[in-house]
Amino acid sequence: MGSRILGCGSALPALRVTNDDLSRVVDTSDEWIAKRTGIRARHIAVEETATDLGVSACQKALEDAGVDAGQIDLIVCTTGTPDALFPSQAALIRAGLGAVNAVCFDLNAACAGCVYALTTAHSLLQTMPGMRRALVVGSERMSRAVDWTDRATCVLFGDGAGAVVLERCDDDQGVLASVLKNEDDVDDVLRANSLYAGDFPFTAEGVAERTAEQIAAQSEAGGQTMEEALASTTCVGDAPLLLMKGREVFKFATRVMPEVLQEACDQAGVAVEDLAVVIPHQANERIISYAAKKLGLPLERFHMVIQETGNTSSASVFMALDDARRAGRIQPGQLIGMTGFGAGLTAGAVVLRA
Ligand code: COA
């Protein structure tokens, strides 16, 4: 028995923020961001909630699959930036969809969430009697987790949602193998202590006329410096900051991405070269390029949307998958690899037959 992807969908917020726009918020440039990351723009949810984005992506996936919301038995939502601590983001999306027959819950594996959620849904479809179809959705508003005064991190992230409809099938199609990996983040290389609670440098029209210094001054009352926040490793509410040691994350990502993809291929009994398309976590074009080189695959096999979306955390793989499918890059019968990595530290890969 297996489970296969019947349909995909994704959603981006209306506001598109280019690198040039961001250079009015922090001291940066299109040249620096594009050269180091491949990112040209990202979308920022000013009015959209994570529920709005998630519901929209799911509706498109349902339409693509030709399935009604009432036929969904399970919703697994992966997010690090939910609208509420509870109800779960999955419960809010369930209500928005009218998926009245679905069991639902959230899963947080940071930016590797997509691979973890797909694996979890696949496993439940195999083992739970009566469960036949699942919606697996990643919905993120990273704009509420980043520190908009920290140019080294805020330029990297964006908001969005992606979803797939997964259906149990009787043959060994669809998901063929899955690898999940964790390592302790002993050096605190990637951490968000709480959702963003400071000022916000955007309006529905675009970037607000405010300097980084003004935003920093307004956030100061409730904030901490990066060093203070890093020193208090049990802090859960005081520092509204995403904290990252970029070079360390870069090293982790370029090491684990090829490792987990190779392991998943070995487990599936296929060669890496047989993957027609790889859908990597969209964190940095250079990370993807390194991984491609290590695996001996041409970069063209790796589908990217990062230029337009930035890093949308656990939504990114589903968003890129949707884009690849709609662009006609994924044909029935082809082998597809999906891989992610993120805070935790987490990493994972799935190999499936389309
Ligand atoms: N604009 C302009 N300059 C910037 C900048 C920005 N947005 N951010 C940092 N800089 C400057 C730094 O201050 C530094 O200046 P200095 O040399 O005068 O001190 C210089 O650029 C180099 O900074 P560094 O951090 O060493 O750059 P880098 O080559 O390591 O690239 C990242 C930084 C973040 C792009 C890179 O480390 C990375 O992508 N890491 C992985 C991050 C990631 O994927 N996170 C999510 C995981 S899910």
Side-chain angles (χ1 to χ4, degrees), residues 26-29 32-33 36-37 110-112 150-153 155-157 190 244-251 253 281 283-284 286-287 311 313 341-343:
V26 286
D27 180 16
T28 190
S29 64
W32 192 96
I33 302 171
R36 307 263 175 156
T37 69
C111 295
D150 176 12
R151 69 176 183 171
T153 53
V155 302
L156 304 176
F157 294 93
L190 196 46
M244 188 182 75
K245 295 179 183 162
R247 288 196 173 184
E248 302 311 311
V249 177
F250 197 97
K251 276 188 226 152
H281 171 44
N284 184 324
R286 282 194 300 141
I287 292 176
N311 180 346
S313 190
F341 61 88

Side-chain angles (χ1 to χ4, degrees), residues 81 141-150 153-154 191-201 215-226 228-230 232 235-244:
T81 52
R141 287 194 307 171
M142 291 304 288
S143 64
R144 301 309 199 274
V146 299
D147 176 356
W148 285 107
T149 68
D150 176 12
T153 53
C154 74
R191 180 184 186 98
N193 281 330
S194 67
L195 290 184
Y196 187 74
D199 203 355
F200 192 53
I215 295 167
Q218 281 159 5
S219 313
E220 211 179 301
Q224 284 177 298
T225 65
M226 187 178 201
E228 283 165 353
L230 283 174
S232 62
C235 169
V236 287
D238 295 335
L241 301 172
L242 188 150
L243 306 163
M244 188 182 75

